[in-house]
Amino acid sequence: QVAIAADTNAEFSGKFNNNEIYFYTEDNTTYFSFHGIHALADPGPYPLEITANFSDGTEQTFEQLVMLSAGLYGNEWVNVPEEYLDESVIDEEDAYLQPILNKVTPVKYWDGPFHYPVDEPLVISPYGQRRNYNDGGLYFYHTGIDFKANAPNLNVYATATGEVVLTEELKIKGNAIIIDHGWGVYSIYCHLSEFNVSVGDFVNPGDIIGQIGDTGRSVGPHLHFEIDITGTPINPQTWFNQEFPPQEP
């Protein structure tokens, strides 16, 4: 998150490591930008550039290096049917979802911290884990959090207010729901057994949107949950533990 306090009207834009970042405001005095850092990004310094365009036609630029530290992620081994290791299928699904996740809605729908999407949030696989599928069949990383389910068909809840933009059966993610929370922030719910919402529905925290299942690349009933910012999966736990943007003291 990048926050800017401005005492005059201005339009802000920026880049992080040459990728566009977007700024939003609700009061025209404080501007916020949220940008996802990829879990596979190398540690080290990355350039941040912010440009302010003022109403009088002047422009001001701020540049700074931002140090990324190692995520200290663990390793895990997963066995799935071979059909789910075809990288062309994985790439095709990612390419299909990317335009949906890259869309930036300029309105912020959510308010306060995100809520857990299940009744008993027991994490069985955290975000960022380096994954070895089928003893070397595929190497990747975990793009979200897996919540354990003692049985299928348990409720899955909307984690924050937003608009449902996808309810679809996918090869890898299985039956999946994507909710747009505005300002480039999306939540994704995967491997469901059924949907309780449709595209275009607006949901609030705690609304039942689906049921836990075992569809797609899954090794048993569970919920794979992601939060993506402009197409990049980030650690959902951060959004459960903190409020974005933070409330003023």
Side-chain angles (χ1 to χ4, degrees):
Q1 171 185 292
V2 178
I4 299 173
D7 57 6
T8 184
N9 287 336
E11 292 185 359
F12 295 93
S13 60
K15 290 185 178 182
F16 179 80
N17 195 31
N18 293 320
N19 295 313
E20 294 287 340
I21 59 175
Y22 306 93
F23 287 87
Y24 316 95
T25 183
E26 294 182 296
D27 58 11
N28 294 318
T29 59
T30 307
Y31 297 78
F32 297 96
S33 176
F34 302 99
H35 182 71
I37 304 297
H38 202 288
L40 298 180
D42 292 327
Y46 288 79
L48 170 67
E49 177 184 305
I50 299 173
T51 300
N53 289 287
F54 298 99
S55 56
D56 62 1
T58 60
E59 179 180 289
Q60 185 174 348
T61 299
F62 169 83
E63 297 181 8
Q64 177 178 308
L65 289 177
V66 177
M67 183 65 67
L68 296 187
S69 58
L72 304 177
Y73 303 115
N75 298 280
E76 59 187 19
W77 289 259
V78 182
N79 288 298
V80 297
E82 290 293 327
E83 63 185 289
Y84 294 108
L85 302 184
D86 186 335
E87 293 194 51
S88 64
V89 173
I90 299 169
D91 291 343
E92 182 179 349
E93 183 168 303
D94 288 344
Y96 174 70
L97 295 176
Q98 209 61 37
I100 298 172
L101 298 172
N102 282 340
K103 180 183 176 182
V104 177
T105 301
V107 178
K108 180 174 76 74
Y109 298 130
W110 84 89
D111 185 32
F114 278 39
H115 297 241
Y116 283 105
V118 293
D119 284 314
E120 298 180 5
L122 177 61
V123 176
I124 55 175
S125 179
Y127 168 84
Q129 290 279 89
R130 278 29 178 176
R131 280 188 164 179
N132 179 336
Y133 287 93
N134 294 22
D135 197 23
L138 175 69
Y139 294 99
F140 203 53
Y141 80 104
H142 195 205
T143 56
I145 289 177
D146 283 350
F147 291 105
K148 181 180 179 180
N150 293 320
N153 301 318
L154 298 177
N155 290 338
V156 175
Y157 305 100
T159 193
T161 301
E163 180 184 6
V164 177
V165 293
L166 180 137
T167 57
E168 194 167 327
E169 180 181 0
L170 304 172
K171 178 68 175 180
I172 304 301
K173 295 184 182 298
N175 291 335
I177 293 173
I178 298 180
I179 298 175
D180 177 7
H181 302 288
W183 287 12
V185 180
Y186 291 82
S187 58
I188 307 176
Y189 313 74
C190 305
H191 310 306
L192 306 177
S193 62
E194 62 181 82
F195 304 119
N196 291 85
V197 291
S198 301
V199 171
D201 288 347
F202 270 84
V203 294
N204 293 305
D207 287 352
I208 297 175
I209 59 172
Q211 308 293 314
I212 287 177
D214 188 23
T215 56
R217 188 173 67 192
S218 173
V219 293
H222 73 287
L223 175 68
H224 172 87
F225 175 78
E226 292 185 23
I227 292 181
D228 283 40
I229 298 181
T230 53
T232 300
I234 55 92
N235 190 349
Q237 195 64 54
T238 306
W239 285 67
F240 297 140
N241 295 343
Q242 300 180 39
E243 182 172 355
F244 295 100
Q247 292 292 317
E248 295 181 3

